[in-house]
Amino acid sequence: MTQTPKEVAATYFEAWKGKDFDTLASILHQDATFRGPLGTAANGAECVAGLKGMSEIVTDIDIAHIFVDGPNVLTWFDLHTSIASPASTANWQRIEDGKIVEIKVTFDPRDIIAAG
């Protein structure tokens, strides 16, 4: 049974927090794209690689709210890292047939960049 967009988004964050990259890969479309302040990805494998890299400094993802509008899911959360103060973050995903096909993220990256 195909997960709802909200369930897919929840799986994404649970897998990322748990460093379960096989599960992450399973919910990303092979042609999934990512765009954010610290990088871009042109396919699912690049998305997983980017999340693996980011997970090296992520200590928590504190989700405040999830907004769902059809295939679109917007998650508002505080991104906690080992190198900077928490960053309020918006993560938008477009989900089709149980797979994430597009991700756009925005947050103020200055503290993370300065620490790197």
Side-chain angles (χ1 to χ4, degrees):
M1 187 168 125
T2 302
Q3 291 183 311
T4 67
K6 185 175 183 176
E7 291 168 336
V8 172
T11 298
Y12 170 91
F13 285 102
E14 290 166 13
W16 186 19
K17 278 178 71 168
K19 299 182 182 192
D20 181 353
F21 301 108
D22 289 338
T23 296
L24 272 170
S26 76
I27 61 169
L28 290 167
H29 189 277
Q30 68 181 15
D31 296 323
T33 60
F34 173 89
R35 188 171 72 213
L38 297 177
T40 60
N43 58 53
E46 287 181 10
C47 288
V48 171
L51 289 165
K52 277 184 182 178
M54 192 69 180
S55 73
E56 294 176 15
I57 62 167
V58 172
T59 58
D60 196 15
I61 300 166
D62 185 15
I63 296 174
H65 197 75
I66 300 171
F67 303 89
V68 180
D69 182 17
N72 300 292
V73 180
L74 178 70
T75 305
W76 179 256
F77 62 96
D78 285 329
L79 179 66
H80 295 260
T81 69
S82 59
I83 63 171
S85 57
S88 294
T89 305
N91 175 301
W92 170 80
Q93 301 175 356
R94 184 168 48 89
I95 299 164
E96 296 176 0
D97 299 322
K99 300 277 187 179
I100 299 169
V101 295
E102 186 176 5
I103 305 167
K104 292 182 181 176
V105 174
T106 189
F107 63 90
D108 182 348
R110 289 178 290 188
D111 288 348
I112 292 173
I113 292 169

